[in-house]
Coordinates of all heavy atoms in Angstrom, one line a residue:
K185 N 118.5 59.4 153.2 CA 119.4 59.0 154.3 C 120.1 57.8 154.1 O 121.4 57.6 154.2 CB 118.7 59.1 155.7 CG 119.7 58.9 156.9 CD 118.9 59.0 158.2 CE 119.8 58.9 159.4 NZ 119.1 59.0 160.8
N186 N 119.3 56.7 153.9 CA 119.9 55.4 153.7 C 120.7 55.4 152.3 O 121.7 54.7 152.2 CB 118.8 54.3 153.5 CG 118.4 53.8 155.0 OD1 119.2 53.3 155.8 ND2 117.3 54.0 155.4
R187 N 120.2 56.1 151.4 CA 121.0 56.1 150.1 C 122.4 56.8 150.3 O 123.3 56.4 149.7 CB 120.2 57.0 149.0 CG 120.8 56.8 147.6 CD 120.7 55.4 147.1 NE 119.3 55.1 146.7 CZ 119.1 53.9 146.1 NH1 120.1 52.8 146.1 NH2 117.8 53.7 145.8
S188 N 122.3 57.8 151.1 CA 123.7 58.5 151.2 C 124.6 57.7 152.0 O 125.8 57.7 151.8 CB 123.5 59.9 152.0 OG 123.0 59.6 153.3
Y189 N 124.1 56.9 153.1 CA 125.1 56.0 153.7 C 125.5 54.8 152.8 O 126.7 54.3 152.9 CB 124.4 55.4 155.0 CG 124.4 56.3 156.2 CD1 123.2 56.8 156.7 CD2 125.6 56.8 156.7 CE1 123.2 57.7 157.9 CE2 125.7 57.4 157.8 CZ 124.6 58.0 158.4 OH 124.6 58.9 159.4
Q190 N 124.7 54.4 151.7 CA 125.1 53.5 150.8 C 126.3 54.0 150.0 O 127.2 53.3 149.7 CB 123.9 53.1 150.0 CG 124.3 52.1 148.8 CD 123.2 51.9 147.7 OE1 122.0 52.5 147.9 NE2 123.5 51.2 146.7
Y191 N 126.1 55.3 149.6 CA 127.2 55.9 148.8 C 128.5 56.0 149.6 O 129.6 55.8 149.1 CB 126.9 57.3 148.3 CG 125.8 57.3 147.3 CD1 124.8 58.1 147.1 CD2 125.7 56.2 146.3 CE1 123.7 58.3 146.2 CE2 124.7 56.2 145.3 CZ 123.7 57.2 145.3 OH 122.8 57.1 144.3
L192 N 128.4 56.3 150.9 CA 129.5 56.4 151.8 C 130.1 55.1 152.0 O 131.4 54.9 151.8 CB 129.0 56.8 153.2 CG 130.2 57.1 154.3 CD1 131.1 58.0 153.9 CD2 129.5 57.4 155.6
T193 N 129.4 54.0 152.0 CA 129.9 52.6 152.2 C 130.7 52.3 150.9 O 131.7 51.6 151.0 CB 128.7 51.6 152.4 OG1 128.2 52.0 153.6 CG2 129.2 50.3 152.5
N194 N 130.1 52.7 149.7 CA 130.9 52.3 148.4 C 132.1 53.0 148.3 O 133.2 52.6 148.0 CB 129.9 52.8 147.4 CG 128.8 51.8 147.0 OD1 128.9 50.7 147.1 ND2 127.8 52.5 146.5
A195 N 132.1 54.3 148.8 CA 133.5 55.1 149.1 C 134.4 54.4 149.8 O 135.6 54.3 149.4 CB 133.1 56.5 149.4
Y196 N 134.1 53.9 150.9 CA 135.0 53.0 151.7 C 135.7 51.9 150.9 O 136.8 51.7 151.0 CB 134.4 52.5 153.0 CG 133.9 53.5 154.0 CD1 132.8 53.1 154.9 CD2 134.5 54.8 154.2 CE1 132.5 54.2 155.9 CE2 134.2 55.7 155.2 CZ 133.1 55.3 156.1 OH 132.6 56.2 156.9
N197 N 134.8 51.3 150.2 CA 135.3 50.1 149.5 C 136.3 50.5 148.3 O 137.3 50.0 148.2 CB 134.1 49.4 148.9 CG 134.4 48.2 148.1 OD1 135.3 47.4 148.7 ND2 134.0 48.0 146.9
F198 N 135.8 51.7 147.7 CA 136.7 52.2 146.6 C 138.1 52.7 147.1 O 139.1 52.5 146.4 CB 135.9 53.2 145.8 CG 135.1 52.7 144.8 CD1 133.7 53.2 144.8 CD2 135.3 51.7 143.8 CE1 132.7 52.7 143.8 CE2 134.4 51.3 143.0 CZ 133.2 51.7 142.9
I199 N 138.0 53.2 148.3 CA 139.4 53.6 148.9 C 140.4 52.5 149.1 O 141.5 52.6 148.8 CB 139.1 54.4 150.2 CG1 138.4 55.8 149.9 CG2 140.4 54.6 151.0 CD1 137.9 56.4 151.1
Y200 N 139.9 51.3 149.6 CA 140.6 50.2 149.8 C 141.2 49.6 148.5 O 142.1 48.9 148.4 CB 140.0 49.2 150.6 CG 140.3 49.5 152.1 CD1 139.2 49.5 153.1 CD2 141.5 49.8 152.6 CE1 139.5 49.7 154.4 CE2 141.7 50.1 154.0 CZ 140.8 50.0 154.8 OH 141.0 50.4 156.2
Q201 N 140.3 49.8 147.3 CA 140.5 49.3 146.0 C 141.4 50.3 145.4 O 141.9 50.0 144.2 CB 139.3 49.1 145.3 CG 138.3 48.1 146.0 CD 138.9 46.8 146.1 OE1 139.6 46.3 145.2 NE2 138.3 46.1 147.1
K202 N 141.8 51.5 146.0 CA 142.7 52.6 145.5 C 142.1 53.1 144.2 O 142.8 53.6 143.3 CB 144.0 52.0 145.2 CG 144.9 51.5 146.4 CD 146.2 51.0 146.1 CE 146.9 50.6 147.4 NZ 148.2 50.1 147.1
E203 N 140.7 53.2 144.2 CA 140.0 53.7 143.0 C 139.4 55.0 143.5 O 138.2 55.1 143.8 CB 139.0 52.9 142.6 CG 139.4 51.6 141.9 CD 138.2 50.8 141.4 OE1 137.2 51.3 141.1 OE2 138.5 49.4 141.3
F204 N 140.3 56.1 143.8 CA 140.1 57.2 144.6 C 139.1 58.1 143.7 O 138.3 58.9 144.3 CB 141.3 58.1 144.7 CG 142.3 57.2 145.7 CD1 143.5 56.9 145.3 CD2 141.9 56.9 147.1 CE1 144.3 56.3 146.0 CE2 142.8 56.3 147.8 CZ 143.9 55.7 147.3
Q205 N 139.2 58.0 142.4 CA 138.2 58.8 141.6 C 136.8 58.4 141.7 O 135.8 59.2 141.9 CB 138.6 58.7 140.1 CG 137.8 59.8 139.2 CD 138.3 61.2 139.5 OE1 139.4 61.5 140.0 NE2 137.4 62.2 139.3
Q206 N 136.5 57.0 141.8 CA 135.3 56.5 142.1 C 134.7 56.8 143.5 O 133.6 57.0 143.7 CB 135.3 54.9 141.9 CG 135.4 54.5 140.4 CD 134.3 55.0 139.5 OE1 133.1 54.9 140.0 NE2 134.6 55.3 138.3
A207 N 135.7 56.7 144.5 CA 135.3 57.1 145.9 C 134.9 58.5 146.0 O 133.8 58.7 146.6 CB 136.5 56.9 146.7
E208 N 135.4 59.4 145.2 CA 134.9 60.8 145.2 C 133.7 60.9 144.6 O 132.9 61.9 145.1 CB 136.1 61.6 144.5 CG 135.8 63.1 144.6 CD 137.0 63.9 144.0 OE1 138.1 63.4 143.9 OE2 136.7 65.1 143.6
K209 N 133.4 60.3 143.6 CA 132.0 60.4 142.9 C 130.9 59.8 143.9 O 129.9 60.6 144.0 CB 132.0 59.5 141.8 CG 132.8 60.1 140.5 CD 132.6 59.2 139.3 CE 133.4 59.9 138.1 NZ 133.1 59.0 136.9
Q210 N 131.3 58.8 144.6 CA 130.3 58.3 145.5 C 130.1 59.4 146.8 O 128.9 59.4 147.2 CB 130.7 57.0 146.1 CG 130.8 55.8 145.2 CD 129.4 55.5 144.7 OE1 128.4 55.3 145.4 NE2 129.3 55.2 143.4

């Protein structure tokens, strides 16, 4: 559960960095 929220948080960060491919992986 905590790991999945960690990946979600990483996705938020990648979206603002405009790294959509990385966001999708997370």
Side-chain angles (χ1 to χ4, degrees):
K185 183 176 181 180
N186 275 299
R187 186 71 73 186
S188 65
Y189 277 120
Q190 178 187 351
Y191 291 148
L192 178 63
T193 301
N194 283 327
Y196 290 155
N197 183 47
F198 283 127
I199 287 171
Y200 274 134
Q201 303 297 331
K202 297 182 179 180
E203 298 182 25
F204 301 116
Q205 193 65 33
Q206 290 296 328
E208 187 173 338
K209 286 182 180 179
Q210 294 293 317

